[in-house]
């Protein structure tokens, strides 16, 4: 599936330092078959989840395959997604999904 390119306030496509279009980053939460949650960040959510499901993702999800994607939250850049991932991982399990759904 194709998503629209990020646009700045001028209406032009935002670019990174290489001049290429920036990609939206996502913080995501997976529930694994063992009932535990796995959180990560990516700039291609569909491909990353497919990698986890195929046993080619993170070491944890290779050993504990995902059962479903619980949710995701978009961020404008990798740094903000990584900060949010850290915050999410500090939360108790009962607050993790709610954190993703906050806007």
């Amino acid at each position: 599936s194709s998503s629209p390119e990020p646009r700045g306030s001028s209406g032009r496509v935002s670019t990174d330092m290489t001049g290429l279009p920036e990609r939206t980053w996502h913080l995501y939460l997976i529930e694994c078959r063992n009932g535990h949650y796995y959180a990560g960040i990516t700039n291609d959510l569909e491909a990353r989840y497919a990698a986890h499901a195929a046993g080619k993702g993170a070491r944890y999800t290779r050993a504990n395959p995902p059962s479903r994607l619980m949710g995701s939250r978009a961020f404008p850049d990798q740094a903000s997604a990584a900060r949010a991932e850290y915050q999410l991982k500090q939360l108790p399990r009962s607050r993790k999904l709610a954190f993703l759904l906050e806007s």
Side-chain angles (χ1 to χ4, degrees), residues 25-53:
W25 281 80
H26 299 271
L27 168 61
Y28 61 91
L29 188 65
I30 292 172
E31 183 175 30
C32 297
R33 289 186 198 153
N34 65 1
H36 292 176
Y37 288 166
Y38 174 85
I41 63 171
T42 183
N43 61 8
D44 188 341
L45 188 56
E46 284 184 31
R48 187 65 177 148
Y49 184 78
H52 287 300

Side-chain angles (χ1 to χ4, degrees), residues 48-59 61-66:
R48 187 65 177 148
Y49 184 78
H52 287 300
K56 298 178 181 178
R59 181 183 300 171
T61 58
R62 286 195 302 269
N64 303 284

Side-chain angles (χ1 to χ4, degrees), residues 2-4 9 11 13 21 23-24 39 41 43 49 54-56 59-60 63 67 70 72 74 77 88 92 95 101 103:
S2 177
S3 61
S9 58
V13 173
R23 300 194 68 171
T24 301
I41 63 171
N43 61 8
Y49 184 78
K56 298 178 181 178
R59 181 183 300 171
Y60 186 83
S67 60
M70 301 288 293
S72 67
D77 53 56
L88 176 72
R95 285 276 304 128
L101 303 177
S103 45

